[in-house]
Amino acid sequence: MAAKFLAYFVVVVALSSVAKSDPDLLQDICVANVSAGVKVNGFACKNDAAVTEADFFFSGLAKPAVINNTVGSVVTGANVMQIPGLNTLGVSLTRIDYLPGGLNPPHTHPRATETIFVLEGELDVGFITTANKLYSKSIKKGDVFVFPKGLVHFQKNNGHQPASVIAAFNSQLPGTQAIAATLFASTPAVPDNVLTKAFQISTREVDQIKSRLAPKKS
């Protein structure tokens, strides 16, 4: 009986570990020392004597962002890069603002599940599973929607007013891979013959897409 219980306990612990996104912390705080240049699945810890309240504070999500791009949305992060005190804590936030018709293009977060809470406006949202099934819903102010870790998802403001959400992640740095930019604007570039074959389009069409997604020169 004891052996069976021990085996069950080991399995539960193993499954719990797999379900977590970031590793557990081994101390009360480990404020990120980003300038140290040392990363071991996270950032090195700042000396405790140099830690202040400012390492745990960020006011950048208080107001809507200025949107001046072709997709009509802006993502403002509140992760370990903006709040060093989040290092090893396994959580972060973003604010996403959308113009009427604005889109947060299809993308993934390889290291985290995302939960959004609608502050203002209405959105059409969805994610696609590995079985190629789309789960989508229209959501409004006060609603919550979840995008499972690693799955392609999007948000679109099909309303006539601006919209905003707060997104929560179970990672200090969830990472983002925008599908279009990843494939058509990587460095070095994905070979044209890969893209033409995958999307069944011509080299000219590949070049047109790349020109639209290329970073704007300052």
Side-chain angles (χ1 to χ4, degrees):
M1 185 68 178
K4 185 180 291 188
F5 175 81
L6 179 59
Y8 175 79
F9 178 78
V10 169
V11 170
V12 169
V13 170
L15 289 175
S16 298
S17 300
V18 170
K20 294 173 184 174
S21 182
D22 290 357
D24 282 339
L25 64 164
L26 299 176
Q27 59 278 311
D28 289 341
I29 60 173
C30 176
V31 173
N33 185 358
V34 179
S35 62
V38 178
K39 288 192 290 185
V40 183
N41 203 25
F43 294 96
C45 303
K46 183 188 287 188
N47 190 303
D48 284 354
V51 173
T52 70
E53 293 82 356
D55 291 314
F56 302 90
F57 174 79
F58 180 64
S59 62
L61 305 188
K63 296 179 180 179
V66 176
I67 303 172
N68 184 24
N69 57 43
T70 56
V71 295
S73 71
V74 168
V75 178
T76 304
N79 54 52
V80 70
M81 304 308 294
Q82 292 80 32
I83 310 173
L86 287 177
N87 195 40
T88 74
L89 297 185
V91 294
S92 60
L93 296 174
T94 64
R95 176 182 176 131
I96 313 169
D97 296 297
Y98 317 78
L99 293 174
L103 170 72
N104 190 11
H107 62 281
T108 71
H109 301 294
R111 296 186 289 273
T113 292
E114 176 181 4
T115 303
I116 62 171
F117 173 79
V118 183
L119 295 172
E120 297 290 344
E122 299 179 1
L123 296 166
D124 292 332
V125 302
F127 65 86
I128 303 152
T129 69
T130 55
N132 221 29
K133 179 175 175 58
L134 170 66
Y135 291 88
S136 62
K137 188 170 180 60
S138 295
I139 58 177
K140 61 185 185 304
K141 182 177 180 178
D143 288 346
V144 171
F145 195 83
V146 177
F147 304 106
K149 177 181 177 179
L151 296 186
V152 175
H153 60 282
F154 60 88
Q155 304 107 32
K156 177 80 161 61
N157 180 5
N158 284 323
H160 300 291
Q161 302 296 327
S164 299
V165 306
I166 292 292
F169 301 91
N170 62 332
S171 172
Q172 68 179 35
L173 197 61
T176 300
Q177 278 197 303
I179 305 304
T182 297
L183 291 171
F184 290 91
S186 67
T187 303
V190 176
D192 284 357
N193 60 3
V194 172
L195 298 174
T196 55
K197 187 89 169 177
F199 291 96
Q200 297 296 291
I201 58 178
S202 68
T203 302
R204 181 179 178 182
E205 289 169 311
V206 168
D207 290 339
Q208 289 175 338
I209 296 171
K210 285 183 176 181
S211 68
R212 292 170 186 156
L213 294 175
K216 298 294 185 291
K217 295 181 179 179
S218 55

